[in-house]
Amino acid sequence: MSLGACAAGADLTLDSRLKLWVLLPISVVMILVGVVRRYLMILLTSKVKSVPRATVTENQYISKAIAMLTNGSSLHEEAFRMRQEYLAGVLSEGKYLALKGKAAEPQNVLADPNMTEALMGMAKGNLAGYIPQTVIMWWVNYFFAGFVLMKLPFPLTMRFKEMLQSGVMTADLDARWVSSISWYFISMFGLDPVYNLLFGDEAASQSMMQQQMFVGGAVPGGPTPEALMKNYANDLTIAQHESCFDGIEDRVLQMYAA
């Protein structure tokens, strides 16, 4: 090994069998455990009862008001004014209240059986995810500790060394080399696109159904949907359209004018 190589970081020649006996088993086991965990979470998660259509519509209009107040500056001023007038009108009138004409009580999470089942399902899902990952981490650490598996094709700073070379305490090793334990952590956090490709949007749809129950102040002693709608209607009425794109043509021309 030359002095120049030492200065740039140690260069290694890896045994080709590492890919077959270390890299491939870890990757395959991680994918298979993720698939089993997904089906296990489906079996353990309680079926949440469907939310009435009126309640879904009510929550969606409250969400629209929140999105309008948060991201309204991204709209053109004419589109902002049109949506502002429409949402402020329907929210102040209570047109889409689920319990229109009745005295709605504040929603209580602890008194809602659907919410209790959803929280229990989330706890079971977290437990089903924690136990397999603990077992796999022990398996990788016990059988494959100390292996260097690959070299990334792009340069990295030394700050990535601790993250990519866990279990390999070599000071002069290039930060692009990846150890077996670090490959486990990379696979654990980077396989979500693979699972989404395999399972589609099942998890997203279940998450959307659970979120429908939280919109509208679903906390003990929280405001009623009617009060929320009136508050958001007032906020929308006084909201002003301010955007960084206003007058951008004149500012760009003035900046680059000769």
Side-chain angles (χ1 to χ4, degrees):
M1 183 181 297
S2 64
L3 295 177
C6 292
D11 196 9
L12 304 177
T13 301
L14 299 181
D15 191 337
S16 59
R17 291 175 295 181
L18 287 174
K19 297 180 180 179
L20 181 62
W21 297 106
V22 181
L23 179 62
L24 184 61
I26 294 176
S27 303
V28 171
V29 168
M30 290 292 296
I31 295 176
L32 292 179
V33 170
V35 172
V36 173
R37 182 181 60 185
R38 179 63 62 91
Y39 283 111
L40 184 62
M41 291 175 62
I42 293 176
L43 293 175
L44 292 177
T45 303
S46 302
K47 299 298 182 181
V48 181
K49 297 180 180 179
S50 60
V51 182
R53 181 176 180 180
T55 303
V56 174
T57 304
E58 174 186 275
N59 292 337
Q60 287 179 344
Y61 271 86
I62 294 176
S63 300
K64 284 183 179 181
I66 297 174
M68 183 70 178
L69 292 170
T70 305
N71 304 315
S73 59
S74 301
L75 297 173
H76 188 271
E77 184 173 4
E78 183 179 355
F80 176 84
R81 298 302 178 191
M82 180 177 62
R83 289 168 173 78
Q84 178 188 32
E85 182 179 357
Y86 171 74
L87 285 177
V90 297
L91 292 178
S92 60
E93 295 173 3
K95 182 178 179 180
Y96 294 102
L97 278 173
L99 300 176
K100 189 175 182 181
K102 299 180 181 180
E105 298 180 356
Q107 301 179 9
N108 190 339
V109 175
L110 302 178
D112 190 348
N114 290 338
M115 187 64 63
T116 303
E117 293 180 3
L119 295 177
M120 286 297 297
M122 293 172 60
K124 293 177 182 178
N126 292 334
L127 185 63
Y130 174 77
I131 294 177
Q133 294 299 341
T134 304
V135 175
I136 298 175
M137 185 171 62
W138 173 86
W139 173 68
V140 173
N141 194 32
Y142 185 81
F143 289 100
F144 304 111
F147 287 101
V148 177
L149 300 183
M150 67 177 70
K151 185 178 183 181
L152 298 177
F154 46 85
L156 293 173
T157 62
M158 295 303 294
R159 293 185 177 182
F160 291 90
K161 186 177 181 65
E162 183 177 357
M163 179 179 65
L164 296 179
Q165 297 177 6
S166 178
V168 182
M169 299 301 179
T170 305
D172 58 347
L173 191 62
D174 195 325
R176 292 182 291 174
W177 291 101
V178 181
S179 66
S180 56
I181 301 176
S182 296
W183 177 249
Y184 157 75
F185 287 108
I186 293 173
S187 301
M188 182 175 63
F189 294 107
L191 285 176
D192 286 341
V194 178
Y195 298 145
N196 293 336
L197 181 63
L198 293 175
F199 299 103
D201 297 331
E202 293 180 4
S205 61
Q206 293 179 0
S207 177
M208 287 292 294
M209 288 195 60
Q210 292 180 358
Q211 288 179 1
Q212 294 292 342
M213 307 169 69
F214 286 96
V215 182
V219 293
T224 62
E226 183 178 4
L228 282 174
M229 285 188 174
K230 291 183 178 179
N231 291 336
Y232 286 127
N234 293 333
D235 294 341
L236 286 170
T237 302
I238 62 176
Q240 299 295 325
H241 181 266
E242 297 179 358
S243 175
C244 62
F245 298 106
D246 292 341
I248 189 172
E249 297 89 349
D250 297 334
R251 286 188 279 120
V252 170
L253 291 176
Q254 183 179 4
M255 182 182 302
Y256 293 100

